[in-house]
Amino acid sequence: MVTNITVTLVHTDKELEDAFFVRQEVFVKEQGIPLPLERDEYDDESQHIVAYHEGQPIAAGRVRLIDSSIAKVDRICVLPTFRRQQVGVRMMQKLEGYVTQLPESVHIQTIKIFAQTHAVPFYEKMNYHVTSPEFIDGGIPYRAMEKRL
């Protein structure tokens, strides 16, 4: 397992660029999703996170509020070299920690995610439950999942 991994909330333009770099490597180059579909209008209203190993970005994700009780996590991705080493777990823990620390006016009760079908077992281990049949988005099969907090 890789050590020296730092997972941080994005606060600077450089950190956001790093998150977009990882997303482009995974979603656009590896999975073939067109860049106009990968980058969307929700990027401006989301809290992004990025993970680093020895100063290099290796994972990214984002979360946004749907309303005062529901958060939507998406764009979770880890560079291939760092998969199956608990990086995704740490990313999800950081995002879940973020939504539970929001002001009292926002009381998140449910986190929703659209998981690529191959990743469903990963999210199930983190207590997310499938809430939809499989659907296709950008040519990739997904399942809707959620977790009650």
Side-chain angles (χ1 to χ4, degrees):
M1 179 154 51
V2 175
T3 57
N4 299 328
I5 292 174
T6 304
V7 180
T8 186
L9 296 173
V10 167
H11 295 293
T12 68
D13 289 343
K14 170 72 167 91
E15 290 167 339
L16 186 58
E17 288 173 24
D18 289 345
F20 286 152
F21 164 78
V22 176
R23 286 172 43 182
Q24 185 163 330
E25 289 296 307
V26 173
F27 297 125
V28 178
K29 291 182 181 176
E30 180 184 339
Q31 297 182 354
I33 296 171
L35 187 58
L37 291 179
E38 198 288 310
R39 296 261 186 108
D40 63 22
E41 68 275 15
Y42 301 121
D43 281 326
D44 291 337
E45 64 188 58
S46 297
Q47 172 62 61
H48 297 264
I49 65 168
V50 62
Y52 294 94
H53 176 255
E54 298 178 352
Q56 298 301 309
I58 63 164
R62 70 182 187 188
V63 62
R64 64 188 164 88
L65 302 181
I66 302 295
D67 61 33
S68 63
S69 66
I70 299 172
K72 175 90 177 354
V73 168
D74 57 11
R75 301 301 198 269
I76 301 297
C77 56
V78 179
L79 294 178
T81 307
F82 295 93
R83 292 180 189 152
R84 303 198 188 291
Q85 299 183 53
Q86 302 299 302
V87 177
V89 170
R90 295 198 40 207
M91 299 286 288
M92 292 303 294
Q93 289 169 338
K94 187 74 166 184
L95 287 168
E96 290 176 6
Y98 169 77
V99 300
T100 60
Q101 300 294 319
L102 291 170
E104 283 188 27
S105 60
V106 179
H107 183 66
I108 300 300
Q109 298 172 17
T110 304
I111 298 176
K112 296 186 176 208
I113 189 166
F114 291 165
Q116 291 186 10
T117 301
H118 71 85
V120 165
F122 166 80
Y123 291 107
E124 287 176 330
K125 288 178 186 171
M126 298 198 68
N127 297 314
Y128 285 78
H129 304 282
V130 172
T131 60
S132 79
E134 189 173 87
F135 61 93
I136 303 296
D137 186 15
I140 296 173
Y142 288 84
R143 303 284 299 270
M145 301 182 80
E146 67 180 44
K147 179 179 186 175
R148 305 279 290 159
L149 300 178

